[in-house]
Amino acid sequence: MASRSTEPRIGNGPSRLPTTAPQGDAARRTNGTSIDAVSLAIIEQLQEDGRRPYAAIGKAVGLSEAAVRQRVQKLLDQGVMQIVAVTDPLTVGFRRQAMVGIRVEGDLDPVAEALTAMAECEYVVMTAGSFDLMVEVVCEDDDHLLEVINKRIRALPGVRSTESFVYLKLKKQTYMWGTR
């Protein structure tokens, strides 16, 4: 059995997805990259248990350990997936999270780039609708959140207005959508 300390970790819980390769037209195109049914099955295996040994994954998807290792590395290199440790922000000292809707005048790209450079901004997305950008902010406390919004986000050139949605309780957070 492979050493568990060298195996990848993805997701944060058991998958409700089947661990066999999808049937039918299972190849998908992502960012110009074609992902076949076997690669999707490998991703599902890792989402179920990110520390699962490559040999066990290979047995489940019909490949050798070496072939699984190569495919995982290719998926990583192509940016199809990341292998990370997922934490609960509360347990590591970040007691305030918020989603911030931002309205921008002019070009969104410079504002989005400035937000991605801020350590507190965990998620930055350009949107259609009431807001031009949505940003998830993770902070130590309310004072830290106020500083980030008032002194840093609102101070960016092009930011017209913000609206904050403070998280009171996180009910669901999952990363299992990758292959459904």
Side-chain angles (χ1 to χ4, degrees):
M1 178 182 259
S3 169
R4 293 178 73 83
S5 64
T6 61
E7 296 302 326
R9 175 77 182 136
I10 278 188
N12 61 350
S15 173
R16 290 185 301 266
L17 299 171
T19 56
T20 57
Q23 302 298 311
D25 182 18
R28 297 187 190 167
R29 294 195 65 76
T30 305
N31 296 331
T33 302
S34 181
I35 302 172
D36 66 10
V38 175
S39 291
L40 290 172
I42 290 170
I43 292 168
E44 287 176 349
Q45 290 284 310
L46 290 169
Q47 286 179 320
E48 186 176 301
D49 179 359
R51 296 176 294 188
R52 181 167 287 152
Y54 290 129
I57 295 170
K59 187 174 182 179
V61 302
L63 293 177
S64 69
E65 178 179 350
V68 171
R69 188 177 305 276
Q70 288 175 340
R71 282 192 182 236
V72 168
Q73 189 58 54
K74 184 177 178 182
L75 292 166
L76 292 168
D77 292 345
Q78 292 174 334
V80 172
M81 68 178 191
Q82 296 177 351
I83 298 173
V84 298
V86 178
T87 61
D88 176 354
L90 287 173
T91 64
V92 292
F94 297 100
R95 290 173 172 67
R96 181 56 67 213
Q97 291 178 269
M99 186 64 69
V100 181
I102 303 170
R103 292 180 185 90
V104 176
E105 292 180 6
D107 190 1
L108 299 179
D109 284 321
V111 178
E113 290 301 318
L115 292 166
T116 62
M118 293 182 193
E120 295 87 354
C121 296
E122 295 293 323
Y123 177 81
V124 177
V125 63
M126 294 178 178
T127 65
S130 298
F131 300 104
D132 299 304
L133 298 165
M134 294 292 292
V135 181
E136 184 176 38
V137 179
V138 179
C139 296
E140 295 168 13
D141 54 31
D142 288 337
D143 289 336
H144 186 200
L145 177 62
L146 179 60
E147 185 268 329
V148 169
I149 293 171
N150 196 41
K151 303 277 192 224
R152 295 173 57 204
I153 293 175
R154 288 182 179 161
L156 292 173
V159 171
R160 185 175 39 149
S161 65
T162 64
E163 187 173 341
S164 302
F165 305 89
V166 175
Y167 296 5
L168 298 177
K169 185 174 185 177
L170 182 63
K171 293 295 284 185
K172 180 179 181 180
Q173 179 175 350
T174 181
Y175 300 96
M176 305 309 290
W177 48 266
T179 61
R180 67 172 176 198

